[in-house]
Amino acid sequence: MRNKILELLKESEDFVSGESISKKFGVTRAAIWKAINSLKDDGYEIESIPRKGYKLVSSPDILTYEEIKEYLDTRFIGNKIYYYDSIDSTNKMAKDIAFEEKEGVIVVAEEQTKGRGRLGRTWESPKKKGIYFSVILKPQMTPMKVAKLTLIGAAAVCLSLKEMGIESKIKWPNDIVINGKKVCGILTEMNSELNMINYVIIGIGVNVNLEESEIPEDIKHKATSLKIEAKNRIDRKKLLGTILSKFEELYIPFRDEENISRTIEICRNSSAVIGKEIKVMNGSTYKLGRALDINEAGELIVEFEDGNIENVFSGEISIRGVEGYI
Ligand code: ADP
C-alpha cells in the first residue's frame, strides 16, 4: 500500500485527496495516514492540507527500487532489490540468498560496515556517499569464462559515467579510475561445480559524493570520488539505474551468444593501462612489463622485461603503474 501511494503521489503534480486515494485502493483514511507517516519516516517530504490532501514535495536520496526505477531500462536486472540502510557486505548478503533467488536480483546498501575488495582487502563504503551493490547472475557457462563478467561490469560503469558527462578509464581488470585514482572497484565471486556455475556475484562499489576530507588518509594517493573529479554532486539514483541498464545490455549478448566484443572494445578504448609501463602483481611478487593490448578473450597482452609477450588473465592479478598507482 505504502508503495502504491508513493507511486500515486509521484505521478501527481498537485495535491491528491485522501478520499481519492481511499477510493482508488479501497483502504481506510487511517491506513493512508499510516502509510504517509511511514514515508515521512523514510525521508519523503509530504505536505498535507485538510480537505486538499497530500502532495509529495521531495524524495530522499536513497537507492530503493521506487527511487531508481525511473532510470532502469532492463528486462531482469534490478527487477527485485534487497535494500539495506546498512549491511556488512552486499556480496556476502547476495551469496546468502543466491541459491533461492533468480538471476538479476540485486542487493543494495547505503553503507557497508565490512565492504570487501579482492583477496580479503577492505572497500571503504561510507553512508550515502557512494553506491554499493551486488548483482546475482546465473549464466550457463563454464567457470573459466566468469572473469569476463568483471570486464562487463567495468565497461558498464565506464559507459554510464560517460553518459553522465564524466570521462573515466578502466584499469584492467576491475577498477575504474579518473586522473589516475580509483573511483570504482569490482569484486566478482563465484560458486560452481567443476563444469557448471551455480551463481556469480558481481559486487560494485562507486565513490560518488565523497568530499576530499572523507577519503581515508591511507588511500588518498589512489582513491578519489566522482564529486571531487567532476566538481559536482552526482545523482546516485540515476547512476545506479544507468549502470544496471548498461550492465544488462552488455551481459545479454555474452550470456546468450558468448558475444563480448562490445565490452572488449570499451575496455580497450578506455583502458588506463594500454601503452603504459606496468607492474603485474601476483600476490607479493611482481614482474615489470608494458601493456600492449586487450585481446578478444579479455586478456591483457603484456610484453615483459625479458622480451616475452604473454596473455595475462587471472582474477587475482593487480596492475600498478611503475611510478604511481597507475
Ligand atoms: P587493488 O586495486 O589493490 O588491486 P582491489 O581491487 O581489491 O585491489 O581493491 C581493494 C583496495 O582498494 C584496498 O586494499 C584499498 O587500498 C583500496 N580501497 C579501499 N576502499 C576504497 C575506496 N572506497 N575507493 C578506492 N579505493 C579503495
Side-chain angles (χ1 to χ4, degrees):
M1 182 47 49
R2 179 185 172 284
N3 291 340
K4 280 189 187 160
I5 293 177
L6 175 59
E7 206 162 319
L8 186 65
L9 293 181
K10 274 183 179 254
E11 284 164 7
S12 328
E13 307 256 292
D14 206 356
F15 281 87
V16 184
S17 72
E19 193 188 342
S20 68
I21 300 176
S22 165
K23 266 200 193 136
K24 191 165 176 139
F25 301 127
V27 289
T28 63
R29 293 297 186 93
I32 296 170
W33 191 74
K34 208 170 139 200
I36 295 284
N37 277 337
S38 146
L39 288 168
K40 283 183 177 169
D41 284 346
D42 286 349
Y44 288 90
E45 203 184 323
I46 297 168
E47 202 179 330
S48 56
I49 296 184
R51 284 188 300 278
K52 275 184 96 175
Y54 304 98
K55 185 178 170 183
L56 181 64
V57 178
S58 71
S59 299
D61 177 23
I62 54 173
L63 302 175
T64 55
Y65 178 73
E66 286 69 38
E67 288 305 314
I68 67 161
K69 74 174 175 200
E70 69 178 283
Y71 304 109
L72 268 184
D73 180 16
T74 59
R75 272 159 42 192
F76 58 93
I77 291 188
N79 278 357
K80 180 170 176 186
I81 298 182
Y82 283 75
Y83 170 82
Y84 299 90
D85 185 49
S86 179
I87 202 169
D88 48 359
S89 142
T90 59
N91 261 37
K92 183 165 170 286
M93 181 64 196
K95 277 193 233 166
D96 288 347
I97 58 171
F99 274 110
E100 298 109 71
E101 283 298 354
K102 288 207 187 95
E103 167 152 283
V105 169
I106 70 166
V107 176
V108 180
E110 299 295 359
E111 150 185 84
Q112 294 186 109
T113 53
K114 287 200 181 110
R116 287 183 294 119
R118 297 181 306 166
L119 303 168
R121 295 170 187 136
T122 312
W123 188 260
E124 302 288 339
S125 318
K127 196 161 203 168
K128 288 192 179 173
K129 297 287 176 182
I131 293 177
Y132 320 111
F133 70 100
S134 301
V135 185
I136 298 172
L137 299 173
K138 301 193 170 180
Q140 310 264 307
M141 55 181 63
T142 56
M144 286 272 293
K145 301 193 171 124
V146 161
K148 292 181 184 161
L149 293 170
T150 307
L151 302 182
I152 294 180
V157 173
C158 187
L159 266 189
S160 303
L161 291 177
K162 199 180 180 106
E163 199 165 290
M164 292 180 70
I166 302 172
E167 288 299 324
S168 65
K169 294 212 158 133
I170 298 171
K171 176 174 154 286
W172 184 96
N174 74 319
D175 295 317
I176 307 296
V177 295
I178 299 181
N179 292 327
K181 291 181 176 183
K182 198 171 354 180
V183 286
C184 165
I186 300 170
L187 173 65
T188 302
E189 297 183 281
M190 161 174 72
N191 180 302
S192 75
E193 313 293 328
L194 216 48
N195 273 315
M196 193 188 77
I197 292 167
N198 294 322
Y199 62 78
V200 179
I201 309 290
I202 310 285
I204 300 187
V206 189
N207 299 333
V208 184
N209 288 321
L210 288 93
E211 308 288 344
E212 194 84 54
S213 61
E214 289 166 323
I215 309 262
E217 277 306 322
D218 58 325
I219 56 170
K220 269 214 159 86
H221 62 289
K222 59 173 167 180
T224 187
S225 76
L226 299 178
K227 186 175 179 191
I228 295 170
E229 299 303 324
K231 298 178 177 65
N232 250 328
R233 200 179 158 77
I234 307 298
D235 184 342
R236 294 191 310 143
K237 303 173 191 181
K238 182 172 181 192
L239 181 58
L240 176 55
T242 309
I243 294 173
L244 293 172
S245 306
K246 301 281 177 211
F247 187 91
E248 187 181 286
E249 200 179 303
L250 296 170
Y251 173 64
I252 290 177
F254 178 56
R255 182 194 65 178
D256 298 349
E257 299 153 35
E258 291 208 16
N259 176 353
I260 194 164
S261 56
R262 184 142 175 259
T263 292
I264 302 298
E265 191 186 311
I266 296 163
C267 289
R268 217 183 245 151
N269 292 343
S270 301
S271 174
V273 299
I274 292 176
K276 289 217 174 114
E277 304 296 323
I278 55 168
K279 280 185 192 171
V280 178
M281 306 176 61
N282 195 351
S284 53
T285 64
Y286 69 83
K287 289 200 318 191
L288 290 172
R290 183 181 170 81
L292 300 181
D293 200 358
I294 294 169
N295 66 18
E296 288 304 312
E299 298 159 336
L300 188 68
I301 306 174
V302 183
E303 180 176 10
F304 287 102
E305 272 185 317
D306 57 12
N308 277 341
I309 295 181
E310 287 175 34
N311 298 344
V312 179
F313 209 135
S314 153
E316 318 266 279
I317 298 280
S318 290
I319 303 292
R320 291 287 183 275
V322 169
E323 273 155 27
Y325 178 63
I326 193 68

